[in-house]
Amino acid sequence: MSTIQLETIINAPVAAVFKLSLNIDFHMQSMNQSQEKAIAGVTSGCIKKGETVTWRGKHFGLWLTHASLITEYEPYTSFVDEMIKGRFKSFHHKHIFIDQNGSTKMQDIITYKTPYGLAGEFFDKTVLYNYLTRLIKKRNAHLKYTLENGGDSAFAKA
């Protein structure tokens, strides 16, 4: 099992960071490099506890699908999305939001298992771990930039 832990400080209220983090349209915009598109479940607006979304995106030159379920949802504090169908043996992403006097400390804790035994472990250690870390950092930077520059109003519909 691998674990990725990231922390991003965003100069925006915790409620705004939480809501935009759950917005499907924003996620698609922030992941445009992999052409991710929501193709089933919640495909627009904000996702909530008990709801699913299936993503289709291009990673490593392949079109892959990944379905997630929101298994935990504590408004403005945290939520968890877990893979219910996809290429991983397991994938669990906890999002934590901490108010810091009007700013937000956002934490990502991602734990996952790769399939294919030793070959999967080798791929994870040599490529996948760094790829996923860069992908989440890029998404978080887009979230930070959008909120700190007043661009979240386009996603306020949900």
Side-chain angles (χ1 to χ4, degrees):
M1 176 160 332
S2 295
T3 301
I4 297 170
Q5 294 188 35
L6 299 173
E7 184 174 291
T8 307
I9 304 298
I10 301 173
N11 187 22
V14 71
V17 179
F18 181 85
K19 288 177 185 177
L20 197 54
S21 295
L22 288 159
N23 190 289
I24 301 296
D25 303 292
F26 178 79
H27 182 87
M28 287 188 285
Q29 183 190 78
S30 70
M31 298 299 236
N32 65 359
Q33 76 278 5
S34 58
Q35 302 171 48
E36 283 198 18
K37 185 155 182 76
I39 59 169
V42 177
T43 59
S44 186
C46 287
I47 192 166
K48 296 175 181 65
K49 184 174 183 177
E51 295 180 330
T52 64
V53 59
T54 300
W55 299 102
R56 183 173 188 261
K58 199 168 198 176
H59 300 276
F60 307 109
L62 303 169
W63 287 102
L64 303 173
T65 58
H66 180 101
S68 292
L69 169 69
I70 303 298
T71 58
E72 295 177 31
Y73 182 92
E74 294 296 326
Y76 314 129
T77 303
S78 67
F79 70 91
V80 172
D81 62 88
E82 293 188 59
M83 183 192 78
I84 55 174
K85 187 174 182 184
R87 296 285 180 139
F88 293 90
K89 270 183 144 174
S90 66
F91 191 94
H92 179 275
H93 186 172
K94 182 164 189 156
H95 307 254
I96 302 167
F97 305 87
I98 301 165
D99 178 61
Q100 294 190 317
N101 298 317
S103 289
T104 303
K105 177 168 44 171
M106 183 177 71
Q107 298 173 320
D108 293 276
I109 303 169
I110 302 162
T111 55
Y112 63 92
K113 290 183 186 176
T114 55
Y116 311 117
L118 291 176
E121 288 178 33
F122 179 77
F123 178 69
D124 182 32
K125 287 183 171 127
T126 59
V127 178
L128 183 60
Y129 182 91
N130 290 329
Y131 178 81
L132 290 173
T133 300
R134 282 191 311 273
L135 198 67
I136 300 301
K137 281 183 177 179
K138 188 169 184 179
R139 181 188 188 280
N140 290 353
H142 190 72
L143 183 69
K144 177 180 174 71
Y145 178 83
T146 299
L147 287 164
E148 290 180 355
N149 291 282
D152 63 321
S153 61
F155 303 100
K157 64 182 173 182

mmCIF file of all heavy atoms in Angstrom, residues 109-131:
data_model
loop_
_atom_site.group_PDB
_atom_site.id
_atom_site.type_symbol
_atom_site.label_atom_id
_atom_site.label_comp_id
_atom_site.label_asym_id
_atom_site.label_seq_id
_atom_site.Cartn_x
_atom_site.Cartn_y
_atom_site.Cartn_z
ATOM 1 N N ILE A 109 -4.956 12.996 1.876
ATOM 2 C CA ILE A 109 -4.312 11.745 2.286
ATOM 3 C C ILE A 109 -4.864 10.663 1.362
ATOM 4 O O ILE A 109 -6.043 10.315 1.427
ATOM 5 C CB ILE A 109 -4.591 11.412 3.765
ATOM 6 C CG1 ILE A 109 -4.136 12.559 4.669
ATOM 7 C CG2 ILE A 109 -3.898 10.089 4.140
ATOM 8 C CD1 ILE A 109 -4.599 12.441 6.103
ATOM 9 N N ILE A 110 -4.010 10.180 0.502
ATOM 10 C CA ILE A 110 -4.406 9.192 -0.504
ATOM 11 C C ILE A 110 -3.686 7.891 -0.204
ATOM 12 O O ILE A 110 -2.452 7.859 -0.111
ATOM 13 C CB ILE A 110 -4.038 9.673 -1.916
ATOM 14 C CG1 ILE A 110 -4.710 11.017 -2.195
ATOM 15 C CG2 ILE A 110 -4.405 8.640 -2.971
ATOM 16 C CD1 ILE A 110 -4.105 11.786 -3.338
ATOM 17 N N THR A 111 -4.447 6.824 -0.038
ATOM 18 C CA THR A 111 -3.861 5.497 0.116
ATOM 19 C C THR A 111 -4.409 4.626 -0.998
ATOM 20 O O THR A 111 -5.592 4.689 -1.323
ATOM 21 C CB THR A 111 -4.182 4.875 1.485
ATOM 22 O OG1 THR A 111 -5.585 4.862 1.684
ATOM 23 C CG2 THR A 111 -3.516 5.646 2.615
ATOM 24 N N TYR A 112 -3.519 3.849 -1.592
ATOM 25 C CA TYR A 112 -3.928 2.998 -2.710
ATOM 26 C C TYR A 112 -3.059 1.759 -2.788
ATOM 27 O O TYR A 112 -1.944 1.720 -2.259
ATOM 28 C CB TYR A 112 -3.871 3.772 -4.036
ATOM 29 C CG TYR A 112 -2.491 4.242 -4.431
ATOM 30 C CD1 TYR A 112 -1.672 3.459 -5.251
ATOM 31 C CD2 TYR A 112 -1.991 5.450 -3.983
ATOM 32 C CE1 TYR A 112 -0.401 3.880 -5.599
ATOM 33 C CE2 TYR A 112 -0.728 5.882 -4.326
ATOM 34 C CZ TYR A 112 0.063 5.094 -5.144
ATOM 35 O OH TYR A 112 1.332 5.508 -5.489
ATOM 36 N N LYS A 113 -3.619 0.754 -3.447
ATOM 37 C CA LYS A 113 -2.887 -0.488 -3.732
ATOM 38 C C LYS A 113 -2.939 -0.721 -5.233
ATOM 39 O O LYS A 113 -3.989 -0.559 -5.858
ATOM 40 C CB LYS A 113 -3.533 -1.686 -3.030
ATOM 41 C CG LYS A 113 -3.380 -1.708 -1.539
ATOM 42 C CD LYS A 113 -4.000 -2.968 -0.951
ATOM 43 C CE LYS A 113 -3.989 -2.920 0.561
ATOM 44 N NZ LYS A 113 -4.674 -4.075 1.136
ATOM 45 N N THR A 114 -1.816 -1.125 -5.770
ATOM 46 C CA THR A 114 -1.752 -1.434 -7.198
ATOM 47 C C THR A 114 -1.959 -2.934 -7.417
ATOM 48 O O THR A 114 -1.604 -3.740 -6.564
ATOM 49 C CB THR A 114 -0.394 -1.025 -7.798
ATOM 50 O OG1 THR A 114 0.644 -1.655 -7.046
ATOM 51 C CG2 THR A 114 -0.194 0.476 -7.777
ATOM 52 N N PRO A 115 -2.525 -3.288 -8.561
ATOM 53 C CA PRO A 115 -2.644 -4.708 -8.899
ATOM 54 C C PRO A 115 -1.327 -5.232 -9.497
ATOM 55 O O PRO A 115 -0.347 -4.495 -9.563
ATOM 56 C CB PRO A 115 -3.760 -4.709 -9.948
ATOM 57 C CG PRO A 115 -3.622 -3.385 -10.618
ATOM 58 C CD PRO A 115 -3.149 -2.422 -9.538
ATOM 59 N N TYR A 116 -1.314 -6.431 -9.941
ATOM 60 C CA TYR A 116 -0.227 -7.066 -10.698
ATOM 61 C C TYR A 116 1.017 -7.386 -9.877
ATOM 62 O O TYR A 116 2.123 -7.433 -10.411
ATOM 63 C CB TYR A 116 0.145 -6.248 -11.945
ATOM 64 C CG TYR A 116 -1.042 -5.847 -12.770
ATOM 65 C CD1 TYR A 116 -1.364 -4.507 -12.955
ATOM 66 C CD2 TYR A 116 -1.879 -6.807 -13.344
ATOM 67 C CE1 TYR A 116 -2.480 -4.136 -13.699
ATOM 68 C CE2 TYR A 116 -2.991 -6.438 -14.088
ATOM 69 C CZ TYR A 116 -3.282 -5.104 -14.258
ATOM 70 O OH TYR A 116 -4.375 -4.729 -14.981
ATOM 71 N N GLY A 117 0.862 -7.605 -8.581
ATOM 72 C CA GLY A 117 1.959 -8.098 -7.750
ATOM 73 C C GLY A 117 3.211 -7.247 -7.800
ATOM 74 O O GLY A 117 3.159 -6.026 -7.688
ATOM 75 N N LEU A 118 4.363 -7.919 -7.983
ATOM 76 C CA LEU A 118 5.654 -7.224 -7.991
ATOM 77 C C LEU A 118 5.761 -6.235 -9.138
ATOM 78 O O LEU A 118 6.369 -5.171 -8.984
ATOM 79 C CB LEU A 118 6.799 -8.234 -8.053
ATOM 80 C CG LEU A 118 6.996 -9.083 -6.797
ATOM 81 C CD1 LEU A 118 8.090 -10.125 -7.013
ATOM 82 C CD2 LEU A 118 7.327 -8.204 -5.601
ATOM 83 N N ALA A 119 5.179 -6.544 -10.281
ATOM 84 C CA ALA A 119 5.211 -5.619 -11.422
ATOM 85 C C ALA A 119 4.460 -4.333 -11.073
ATOM 86 O O ALA A 119 4.916 -3.226 -11.397
ATOM 87 C CB ALA A 119 4.613 -6.268 -12.661
ATOM 88 N N GLY A 120 3.315 -4.462 -10.399
ATOM 89 C CA GLY A 120 2.553 -3.300 -9.967
ATOM 90 C C GLY A 120 3.313 -2.474 -8.945
ATOM 91 O O GLY A 120 3.300 -1.238 -8.998
ATOM 92 N N GLU A 121 3.973 -3.141 -8.015
ATOM 93 C CA GLU A 121 4.773 -2.439 -7.007
ATOM 94 C C GLU A 121 5.928 -1.690 -7.662
ATOM 95 O O GLU A 121 6.223 -0.544 -7.298
ATOM 96 C CB GLU A 121 5.323 -3.425 -5.978
ATOM 97 C CG GLU A 121 4.264 -3.968 -5.034
ATOM 98 C CD GLU A 121 4.820 -4.975 -4.051
ATOM 99 O OE1 GLU A 121 6.003 -4.832 -3.646
ATOM 100 O OE2 GLU A 121 4.079 -5.904 -3.679
ATOM 101 N N PHE A 122 6.576 -2.313 -8.630
ATOM 102 C CA PHE A 122 7.679 -1.672 -9.344
ATOM 103 C C PHE A 122 7.176 -0.434 -10.098
ATOM 104 O O PHE A 122 7.790 0.630 -10.041
ATOM 105 C CB PHE A 122 8.347 -2.661 -10.308
ATOM 106 C CG PHE A 122 9.470 -2.059 -11.092
ATOM 107 C CD1 PHE A 122 10.702 -1.846 -10.504
ATOM 108 C CD2 PHE A 122 9.284 -1.690 -12.420
ATOM 109 C CE1 PHE A 122 11.744 -1.272 -11.221
ATOM 110 C CE2 PHE A 122 10.315 -1.121 -13.143
ATOM 111 C CZ PHE A 122 11.548 -0.910 -12.542
ATOM 112 N N PHE A 123 6.051 -0.576 -10.797
ATOM 113 C CA PHE A 123 5.466 0.541 -11.537
ATOM 114 C C PHE A 123 5.108 1.682 -10.574
ATOM 115 O O PHE A 123 5.349 2.853 -10.873
ATOM 116 C CB PHE A 123 4.228 0.068 -12.313
ATOM 117 C CG PHE A 123 3.533 1.169 -13.069
ATOM 118 C CD1 PHE A 123 4.131 1.765 -14.174
ATOM 119 C CD2 PHE A 123 2.279 1.613 -12.663
ATOM 120 C CE1 PHE A 123 3.491 2.787 -14.861
ATOM 121 C CE2 PHE A 123 1.629 2.635 -13.350
ATOM 122 C CZ PHE A 123 2.241 3.220 -14.461
ATOM 123 N N ASP A 124 4.574 1.341 -9.423
ATOM 124 C CA ASP A 124 4.223 2.354 -8.433
ATOM 125 C C ASP A 124 5.469 3.100 -7.970
ATOM 126 O O ASP A 124 5.501 4.334 -7.959
ATOM 127 C CB ASP A 124 3.511 1.701 -7.243
ATOM 128 C CG ASP A 124 3.065 2.711 -6.202
ATOM 129 O OD1 ASP A 124 2.733 3.857 -6.581
ATOM 130 O OD2 ASP A 124 3.037 2.362 -5.007
ATOM 131 N N LYS A 125 6.499 2.378 -7.601
ATOM 132 C CA LYS A 125 7.713 3.001 -7.063
ATOM 133 C C LYS A 125 8.474 3.809 -8.108
ATOM 134 O O LYS A 125 9.104 4.812 -7.767
ATOM 135 C CB LYS A 125 8.623 1.932 -6.462
ATOM 136 C CG LYS A 125 8.089 1.403 -5.156
ATOM 137 C CD LYS A 125 9.014 0.403 -4.525
ATOM 138 C CE LYS A 125 8.519 0.110 -3.151
ATOM 139 N NZ LYS A 125 8.290 -1.174 -2.753
ATOM 140 N N THR A 126 8.421 3.396 -9.348
ATOM 141 C CA THR A 126 9.212 4.076 -10.376
ATOM 142 C C THR A 126 8.440 5.152 -11.140
ATOM 143 O O THR A 126 9.048 6.082 -11.663
ATOM 144 C CB THR A 126 9.794 3.069 -11.393
ATOM 145 O OG1 THR A 126 8.716 2.349 -12.000
ATOM 146 C CG2 THR A 126 10.762 2.110 -10.717
ATOM 147 N N VAL A 127 7.106 5.050 -11.210
ATOM 148 C CA VAL A 127 6.341 5.983 -12.041
ATOM 149 C C VAL A 127 5.075 6.507 -11.348
ATOM 150 O O VAL A 127 4.853 7.707 -11.248
ATOM 151 C CB VAL A 127 5.940 5.316 -13.385
ATOM 152 C CG1 VAL A 127 5.101 6.254 -14.236
ATOM 153 C CG2 VAL A 127 7.158 4.848 -14.150
ATOM 154 N N LEU A 128 4.212 5.604 -10.902
ATOM 155 C CA LEU A 128 2.854 5.959 -10.501
ATOM 156 C C LEU A 128 2.803 6.916 -9.312
ATOM 157 O O LEU A 128 2.068 7.913 -9.340
ATOM 158 C CB LEU A 128 2.037 4.697 -10.196
ATOM 159 C CG LEU A 128 0.573 4.916 -9.844
ATOM 160 C CD1 LEU A 128 -0.172 5.598 -10.993
ATOM 161 C CD2 LEU A 128 -0.086 3.584 -9.494
ATOM 162 N N TYR A 129 3.551 6.652 -8.258
ATOM 163 C CA TYR A 129 3.524 7.495 -7.066
ATOM 164 C C TYR A 129 3.829 8.954 -7.426
ATOM 165 O O TYR A 129 3.103 9.867 -7.026
ATOM 166 C CB TYR A 129 4.524 6.965 -6.027
ATOM 167 C CG TYR A 129 4.532 7.758 -4.740
ATOM 168 C CD1 TYR A 129 3.701 7.398 -3.690
ATOM 169 C CD2 TYR A 129 5.357 8.860 -4.574
ATOM 170 C CE1 TYR A 129 3.695 8.126 -2.498
ATOM 171 C CE2 TYR A 129 5.354 9.597 -3.397
ATOM 172 C CZ TYR A 129 4.526 9.220 -2.364
ATOM 173 O OH TYR A 129 4.510 9.933 -1.201
ATOM 174 N N ASN A 130 4.893 9.175 -8.177
ATOM 175 C CA ASN A 130 5.263 10.536 -8.580
ATOM 176 C C ASN A 130 4.223 11.148 -9.510
ATOM 177 O O ASN A 130 3.916 12.339 -9.415
ATOM 178 C CB ASN A 130 6.643 10.561 -9.232
ATOM 179 C CG ASN A 130 7.741 10.288 -8.223
ATOM 180 O OD1 ASN A 130 7.628 10.615 -7.052
ATOM 181 N ND2 ASN A 130 8.810 9.651 -8.673
ATOM 182 N N TYR A 131 3.667 10.348 -10.411
ATOM 183 C CA TYR A 131 2.646 10.828 -11.337
ATOM 184 C C TYR A 131 1.407 11.302 -10.571
ATOM 185 O O TYR A 131 0.896 12.397 -10.810
ATOM 186 C CB TYR A 131 2.278 9.716 -12.328
ATOM 187 C CG TYR A 131 1.181 10.094 -13.296
ATOM 188 C CD1 TYR A 131 1.467 10.858 -14.431
ATOM 189 C CD2 TYR A 131 -0.143 9.703 -13.081
ATOM 190 C CE1 TYR A 131 0.464 11.209 -15.326
ATOM 191 C CE2 TYR A 131 -1.148 10.052 -13.964
ATOM 192 C CZ TYR A 131 -0.834 10.805 -15.088
ATOM 193 O OH TYR A 131 -1.828 11.156 -15.968
#
